[in-house]
Amino acid sequence: MELGINAQPAPFSFETTRTALVMIDMQRDFLLPGGFGEALGNDVSQLAGCISPARQLLDWARSVRMSVVHTKEAHAPDLSDCPPAKLQRGAPGKRIGDPGPMGRILIDGESGSDFVPELAPLAGERVLRKPGKGAFYATDLDDWLQKRNISSLIFAGVTTEVCVQTSMREANDRGYNCLLIEEATASYFPHFKQATLDMVRAQGGIVGWTASLGELIVDRESLNVKARK
Ligand code: TIU
């Protein structure tokens, strides 16, 4: 199904069968107290507002049978995939692999690394563990998308200027058309989120497009009206 929506800096058109929703790192470690985000000194409450819009976006993607990828930033328990430079970030005792209230910080399999319940993946949706900020670094994501003939990606998740923007830039360089849904992403720093939205869509969409969630939801309702006729 070909859809076209209002977006910035220009309308965004995509074929739903050739598009994937990429939900970036909606994990307890970033969204809840006691995880990696808080260990780095951030106010995690800044991210709460994007959970409900992200869930609406996910419901919409499921309703149009779009491919869904849920990424999680998490490291192997032996830290073999965590470079020393990354390991040394943050205060001693609160670094990656250290014990916290949700298990070892940013370690795969610990409760902190899991998704918040509102954004839990369903069977058939791809869960992609990644050791870096970008979803394409040291993962099979590009191959996985190519095998499915996917050419457009809809992005959401946290944080806007770190893992979301890095992943969008990686995808843009690989030739994907990238759309970021404004309400479904958040930063610990609201002005960084705004700056990221601005820089993505500047220069004629140098990294991609941004759109309000309402553009997609409205479209779904108009599709339902069409389907009833
Ligand atoms: N610290 C921060 O803003 N973000 C991260 O470390 N990872 C993600 O953005 N997922």
Side-chain angles (χ1 to χ4, degrees):
M1 173 170 49
E2 180 83 20
L3 296 179
I5 65 164
N6 289 321
Q8 291 192 59
F12 184 79
S13 298
F14 59 104
E15 168 59 48
T16 53
T17 58
R18 298 196 60 202
T19 303
L21 171 63
V22 184
M23 187 63 72
I24 300 283
D25 300 358
M26 292 297 278
Q27 299 160 248
R28 295 188 177 113
D29 256 321
F30 296 106
L31 290 144
L32 300 183
F36 184 56
E38 192 178 72
L40 294 175
N42 296 304
D43 172 10
V44 296
S45 70
Q46 292 287 344
L47 305 189
C50 80
I51 295 177
S52 171
R55 175 55 190 265
Q56 290 176 56
L57 175 62
L58 186 57
D59 287 345
W60 171 83
R62 289 167 174 164
S63 77
V64 298
R65 300 181 185 284
M66 185 172 284
S67 296
V68 177
V69 180
H70 303 259
T71 72
K72 51 154 62 175
E73 182 181 348
H75 291 280
D78 65 2
L79 298 171
S80 56
D81 56 2
C82 187
K86 184 174 182 186
L87 204 49
Q88 286 153 15
R89 305 293 167 84
K94 291 185 170 184
R95 291 180 176 166
I96 296 169
D98 288 338
M102 297 187 290
R104 292 178 67 203
I105 292 171
L106 216 65
I107 298 296
D108 196 33
E110 302 286 342
S111 74
S113 76
D114 205 355
F115 302 101
V116 295
E118 297 89 337
L119 280 304
L122 293 182
E125 296 174 351
R126 179 77 205 274
V127 174
L128 182 85
R129 181 165 81 85
K130 61 184 182 63
K133 304 305 180 192
F136 290 81
Y137 169 68
T139 71
D140 69 349
L141 181 57
D142 199 22
D143 284 347
W144 191 88
L145 296 169
Q146 291 297 316
K147 278 191 190 115
R148 284 156 186 79
N149 203 25
I150 285 169
S151 57
S152 296
L153 299 174
I154 298 177
F155 280 92
V158 298
T159 61
T160 317
E161 79 281 11
V162 183
C163 290
V164 175
Q165 183 175 203
T166 302
S167 300
M168 279 188 81
R169 288 179 180 275
E170 289 181 324
N172 186 56
D173 278 349
R174 286 166 174 77
Y176 297 95
N177 289 317
C178 298
L179 173 71
L180 176 56
I181 301 302
E182 294 155 8
E183 299 85 346
T185 184
S187 169
Y188 300 119
F189 309 92
H191 59 293
F192 285 175
K193 171 179 171 175
Q194 187 56 51
T196 303
L197 297 177
D198 290 344
M199 67 178 86
V200 161
R201 60 197 180 206
Q203 305 183 58
I206 193 85
V207 181
W209 287 255
T210 77
S212 169
L213 177 64
E215 298 297 334
L216 288 173
I217 303 294
V218 165
D219 217 86
R220 179 176 62 156
E221 277 161 8
S222 72
L223 288 171
N224 289 342
V225 169
K226 271 188 218 153
R228 281 199 294 272
K229 278 185 185 160

